[in-house]
Amino acid sequence: MGDFANRVFNVVRQVPRGKVTTYGQVARLIGAPRAARYVGYALHANPEPGTGPGCIPCHRVVFKDGRMATGFAFGGPDEQRKMLATEGIAFDEEGRVLLDQHLWSGRPEAEPDGDLPVGPPSDFDWDAELGD
């Protein structure tokens, strides 16, 4: 895989069980804030899907509104939802992840209060900053 894909995989490996991230959040964390679609392309070629040690848990990546990826490469949106539900993720009546409860902070699980930021503050408005 290329450098971009490897950076995506490194971030997604850090998303803990019971949390999700978005394609856009991954793109921002790797320093490519307008590359959410390319994050999806990279994850579509995930060489190590799954939930075990060393795997790349791409099922924990959802759209910015909490929807499942319609083209989830490893079984479709129903399989993705099943995998997330198994990890304790809750959904609204339309089947979207409750992001207010399950969105990952972007910080490594082992260092929740680390000195160095690994992402923007939780109240940072990317849409306003980027003009989207």
Side-chain angles (χ1 to χ4, degrees):
M1 292 279 143
D3 179 61
F4 182 89
N6 288 330
R7 288 185 291 147
V8 168
F9 299 153
N10 286 336
V11 167
V12 174
R13 276 188 175 106
Q14 296 177 50
V15 180
R17 182 178 177 85
K19 294 290 183 182
V20 297
T21 189
T22 66
Y23 294 98
Q25 183 181 25
V26 173
R28 290 186 298 273
L29 288 170
I30 66 167
R34 294 186 177 265
R37 185 174 298 238
Y38 296 103
V39 169
Y41 294 151
L43 291 174
H44 188 75
N46 182 351
E48 303 169 34
T51 58
C55 290
I56 303 165
C58 59
H59 66 283
R60 296 180 185 149
V61 183
V62 298
F63 290 120
K64 66 182 177 181
D65 65 355
R67 287 180 297 127
M68 306 297 112
T70 56
F72 183 71
F74 308 102
D78 292 336
E79 183 64 22
Q80 183 181 15
R81 181 184 168 118
K82 185 174 97 177
M83 293 173 80
L84 291 172
T86 300
E87 295 184 0
I89 300 292
F91 304 88
D92 69 12
E93 59 279 347
E94 294 177 15
R96 295 176 301 201
V97 171
L98 296 175
L99 292 176
D100 59 332
Q101 295 176 24
H102 300 289
L103 186 62
W104 178 51
S105 70
R107 294 188 178 278
E109 192 174 47
E111 299 178 32
D113 297 318
D115 293 335
L116 298 175
V118 293
S122 61
D123 62 345
F124 190 82
D125 187 350
W126 280 102
D127 291 332
E129 292 295 321
L130 298 175
D132 290 336

